[in-house]
Amino acid sequence: MDFSLTDEQKMIQQTVRRFVDRELMPLENEVMQAEGKYPTGIEPGLYHDLQMKAKDLGFWGINTPEEYGGANLGAVMSALIAIEMGRTLVPFTFGGNADNILYHGNEQQKAEYLVPTIEGKRRSCFALTEPGAGSDPSGIRTTAVKDGGDWVINGQKVFITGGNEADFAMVFAVTDRDKPPQNGGVTCFLVDRSMGWTSRPVPTMGGWSPAELFFDNVRVPEDHVLGEVGRGFMLGMQWIGQGRWLIASRCVGTAERLLQMAVDYSKQRVTFGKPIADRQAIQWMLADSAVEIQAIHGGMGYTREMPIERWYRDLRVTRIYEGTDEIQHFIIARALLKGYVKIGAWE
Ligand SMILES: Cc1cc2nc3c(=O)[nH]c(=O)nc-3n(C[C@H](O)[C@H](O)[C@H](O)COP(=O)(O)OP(=O)(O)OC[C@H]3O[C@@H](n4cnc5c(N)ncnc54)[C@H](O)[C@@H]3O)c2cc1C
């Protein structure tokens, strides 16, 4: 099987790499200094200008269909781009994208939510996790009860990325207790903040804060059901599925950058008359860098002079959201044991 990249893939990869090197990496110091100051990590005007610059290079709507003005580059290209973007800690993404499940909306919902999100005029958040239900979202307790032409939502969500800034949420709620959540019991709603939900930041060790969301008798008109009543669980899984491989791809880029930094530092840092790279102990650490990367830089890696400690904190969450490491292992093991995948014939 030939895994080599096509000329077009290499060309796009190189263009993203240049953009990261020239436009984003020079901002790293500023981003570290401004930790906690801006919800997006970068001053909003600058963020917008960068997105426009990237748009001129063709990076707009990486996963968005052409009919919505996107580039629709597909899964492999998106992963390659995510790897390149992972090489910087500047929390930047190209514009022109929207949550994949918003494409399940009807024409009115697409006009009201999907298109403005693609255009950057509206901000969404995905509200599934609750204090009592994370890895096992079938345990959600938030309810939506029909009352005339409205659904009335009550409950609480937690750890919602972008929940402090979003002007609408995709909210998952139990609509039929007698049916399994996976099949008929859960519905997804498009809920504007103006309908009455509130949010509060959850401070974390990372450079940004997700939110707690509170729903206290929030009335939602029935035409705000996304997809069909009772089919929400499937939408939730579809949203999470996309994040899983993009998060992993971004981590690959970060690991590569950190390893390169470690190699450079080890050649330049001299102790007892020799660069530390000459010491076999350090060479072993470099070889084991995938797990040891944060130790290599010694004291400098621990300071806020370098982006390493910030990365160390920010990266931890990639082993939690869109499915923890343990849950990913569980899914792989289940696929093997139940014969869903054939060993040696990966697709
Ligand atoms: C910064 C951040 C942003 C997030 N953004 C969002 C968001 O935008 N929207 C959203 O809905 N959610 C979001 N989440 C929630 C995230 O998806 C959950 O935290 C995650 O699914 C884990 O759920 P939990 O924290 O409740 O842990 P739990 O499910 O309580 O798990 C606790 C521990 O037990 C382990 N565990 C659980 N079940 C098993 C098992 N069967 N076998 C082995 N080990 C197991 C887990 O791996 C974990 O280590 C975010 C979380 C964080 C931290």
Side-chain angles (χ1 to χ4, degrees), residues 125-136 158-162 204 208-210 239-240 316-317 319-327 330:
C125 66
F126 172 83
L128 177 64
T129 303
E130 299 183 0
S135 301
D136 179 11
V158 74
F159 295 137
I160 306 306
T161 303
T204 65
W208 51 278
S209 302
W239 189 96
I240 286 171
R316 182 59 186 89
V317 73
R319 293 178 48 201
I320 300 174
Y321 56 17
E322 266 91 305
T324 62
D325 285 3
E326 292 79 12
I327 294 301
F330 161 70

Side-chain angles (χ1 to χ4, degrees), residues 87-281:
R87 291 172 56 245
T88 178
L89 67 66
V90 174
F92 176 80
T93 48
F94 296 128
N97 283 309
D99 307 83
N100 56 354
I101 59 175
L102 290 177
Y103 291 93
H104 288 274
N106 57 35
E107 289 314 308
Q108 189 197 325
Q109 291 170 339
K110 283 180 181 164
E112 213 178 314
Y113 295 96
L114 172 67
V115 174
T117 304
I118 291 172
E119 291 171 346
K121 293 176 183 157
R122 297 200 72 173
R123 281 201 69 175
S124 65
C125 66
F126 172 83
L128 177 64
T129 303
E130 299 183 0
S135 301
D136 179 11
S138 66
I140 62 169
R141 293 279 172 268
T142 295
T143 54
V145 176
K146 198 77 189 289
D147 182 33
D150 292 339
W151 289 89
V152 181
I153 301 185
N154 279 290
Q156 185 184 344
K157 299 289 177 180
V158 74
F159 295 137
I160 306 306
T161 303
N164 299 302
E165 300 80 32
D167 66 281
F168 77 94
M170 293 161 281
V171 182
F172 296 81
V174 176
T175 44
D176 190 341
R177 280 193 195 286
D178 297 331
K179 291 187 177 152
Q182 297 86 341
N183 191 10
V186 168
T187 301
C188 179
F189 297 89
L190 296 166
V191 191
D192 294 13
R193 189 184 284 267
S194 59
M195 291 172 183
W197 56 269
T198 55
S199 62
R200 174 171 83 192
V202 180
T204 65
M205 66 191 273
W208 51 278
S209 302
E212 264 181 297
L213 269 46
F214 302 93
F215 298 83
D216 183 10
N217 287 321
V218 173
R219 297 191 80 86
V220 181
E222 60 188 348
D223 60 359
H224 282 240
V225 169
L226 181 63
E228 292 170 39
V229 172
R231 302 283 293 152
F233 203 86
M234 178 270 293
L235 292 178
M237 293 307 104
Q238 195 180 339
W239 189 96
I240 286 171
Q242 177 166 293
R244 285 188 172 167
W245 51 271
L246 286 176
I247 291 167
S249 305
R250 210 163 169 130
C251 289
V252 170
T254 305
E256 286 175 358
R257 166 91 184 281
L258 284 164
L259 177 58
Q260 187 59 56
M261 288 172 73
V263 168
D264 295 346
Y265 189 73
S266 68
K267 287 183 188 164
Q268 165 230 311
R269 180 67 172 169
V270 175
T271 64
F272 306 101
K274 275 188 181 180
I276 57 172
D278 287 0
R279 314 281 175 193
Q280 197 177 42

Side-chain angles (χ1 to χ4, degrees), residues 29-44 91 165 206-209 310:
N29 228 357
E30 202 176 318
V31 166
M32 287 195 294
Q33 301 302 325
E35 182 172 337
K37 195 168 169 191
Y38 308 111
T40 51
I42 315 179
E43 194 274 314
E165 300 80 32
W208 51 278
S209 302
R310 164 74 181 264

